[in-house]
Amino acid sequence: IVVTGGDDHLWKTWRFPDGSIIMTGQGHTDWLSGCCFRPSGTQLVTSSGDATVRIWDLSRRGCILTLRGHSRAVRGCCWHSCGDFVASASADGTSKIWDVNSERCRSTLRGHKESVNSIEFLPFSNTVLTSSADRTLSLWDVRT
């Protein structure tokens, strides 16, 4: 199964390799910039031009949580390997670490001078890597 998001505000899961659509999710009000399966495979995180991050429960076929806090488009998102945290990167120049269980922003990472365009947790660690339109990469220890 692969997941995609697009300018039509939808995410879709596809059966691989035949390419048939399994499921479609709607709820964002602007283009989707990222989508990523939770490590357990039961949920999905999406990021959007509508400045939100959404968590989707695949068995319920719907959005179970909308995370708000960015002031501009969210350019990317990813899950931590433990499945309890989500990271987001935004055109507002910040990145956020979200605690999915408490449904809150755990920390806001500031330091880039322009849009943060991608974010990724290093596997099995408390470190995230961000890339920015300011032509820099940053490594962050999300515990501090």
Side-chain angles (χ1 to χ4, degrees):
I1 295 175
V2 295
V3 62
T4 60
D7 288 342
D8 59 2
H9 311 182
L10 304 174
W11 58 263
K12 296 175 183 175
T13 56
W14 305 78
R15 187 171 285 109
F16 185 79
D18 72 1
S20 59
I21 296 174
I22 301 168
M23 189 182 312
T24 300
Q26 61 183 16
H28 283 290
T29 59
D30 209 337
W31 46 270
L32 270 70
S33 55
C35 40
C36 182
F37 287 109
R38 188 175 190 162
S40 65
T42 60
Q43 294 178 337
L44 181 70
V45 62
T46 57
S47 53
S48 172
D50 66 12
T52 67
V53 175
R54 291 182 181 247
I55 308 292
W56 306 83
D57 186 301
L58 298 175
S59 65
R60 294 185 200 169
R61 296 179 176 252
C63 178
I64 58 170
L65 178 61
T66 301
L67 302 168
R68 292 178 172 85
H70 287 293
S71 61
R72 295 185 60 201
V74 182
R75 310 289 269 161
C77 59
C78 67
W79 285 97
H80 185 274
S81 54
C82 73
D84 293 332
F85 301 98
V86 165
S88 59
S90 174
D92 65 14
T94 69
S95 297
K96 293 185 180 287
I97 307 300
W98 305 91
D99 183 327
V100 176
N101 297 317
S102 69
E103 302 180 2
R104 296 179 139 167
C105 177
R106 185 167 194 164
S107 61
T108 300
L109 310 175
R110 292 180 175 86
H112 285 294
K113 293 180 174 75
E114 294 184 31
S115 173
V116 184
N117 296 330
S118 67
I119 191 163
E120 194 67 42
F121 278 103
L122 274 60
F124 308 102
S125 77
N126 293 306
T127 304
V128 292
L129 172 67
T130 55
S131 67
S132 172
D134 66 14
R135 299 182 185 186
T136 64
L137 300 173
S138 294
L139 286 170
W140 309 81
D141 184 336
V142 298
R143 296 170 298 181
T144 57

